[in-house]
């Protein structure tokens, strides 16, 4: 069974950095190579929104609000996707979710809290 487990996050000061990781288990490498990986976030009272996407072909996309500050990357052998978050702002505070989309199904992680506050 495919499972996604996020790690990282926590309390970060404005202007600070942190890195989120999402380990994908229960998936063989040949399927992982064709899987689109993404990070979403959901702030209190808000809707879940796309933050960054790493397509299976290696292309990336970012929400306008995080361009130039966040970087998504994939560690193929480790079946892991990372989100490097720099120059964090209070409005980045949210629960961050990892999402994996294969040819056949979509999977979500349980989410990890990122709070940006002094």
């Amino acid at each position: 069974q495919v499972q996604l487990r996020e790690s990282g996050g926590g309390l970060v000061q404005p202007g600070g950095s942190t890195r989120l990781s999402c380990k994908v288990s229960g998936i063989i490498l040949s399927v992982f190579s064709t899987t689109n990986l993404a990070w979403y976030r959901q702030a209190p009272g808000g809707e879940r929104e796309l933050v960054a996407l790493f397509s299976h072909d290696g292309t990336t996309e970012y929400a306008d609000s995080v361009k130039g500050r966040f970087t998504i990357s994939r560690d193929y052998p480790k079946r892991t996707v990372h989100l490097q978050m720099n120059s964090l702002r209070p409005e980045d505070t949210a629960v961050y979710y990892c999402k994996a989309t294969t040819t056949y199904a979509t999977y979500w992680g349980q989410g990890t809290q990122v709070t940006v506050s002094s």
Side-chain angles (χ1 to χ4, degrees):
Q1 182 176 353
V2 178
Q3 292 185 325
L4 279 62
R5 176 177 292 184
E6 298 104 335
S7 60
L11 178 62
V12 186
Q13 290 193 341
S17 299
T18 193
R19 188 175 83 155
L20 305 182
S21 298
C22 174
K23 170 73 173 179
V24 183
S25 61
I27 190 170
I28 59 176
L29 278 177
S30 61
V31 174
F32 187 72
S33 69
T34 61
T35 297
N36 291 329
L37 302 163
W39 286 96
Y40 284 70
R41 67 185 180 187
Q42 187 167 16
E47 296 185 352
R48 193 172 296 190
E49 61 175 2
L50 176 67
V51 175
L53 171 68
F54 193 105
S55 296
H56 66 278
D57 62 0
T59 58
T60 58
E61 296 179 16
Y62 296 92
D64 288 342
S65 60
V66 307
K67 282 181 181 176
R69 300 189 298 124
F70 291 10
T71 302
I72 188 171
S73 61
R74 181 186 69 179
D75 187 331
Y76 176 73
K78 294 184 178 179
R79 301 176 180 84
T80 300
V81 59
H82 302 289
L83 184 68
Q84 178 66 41
M85 306 164 65
N86 299 328
S87 302
L88 283 162
R89 306 167 181 169
E91 54 263 39
D92 294 319
T93 295
V95 177
Y96 284 73
Y97 297 90
C98 178
K99 174 184 169 184
T101 304
T102 70
T103 303
Y104 306 105
T106 297
Y107 305 92
W108 290 90
Q110 78 287 351
T112 185
Q113 177 70 46
V114 174
T115 301
V116 184
S117 175
S118 55

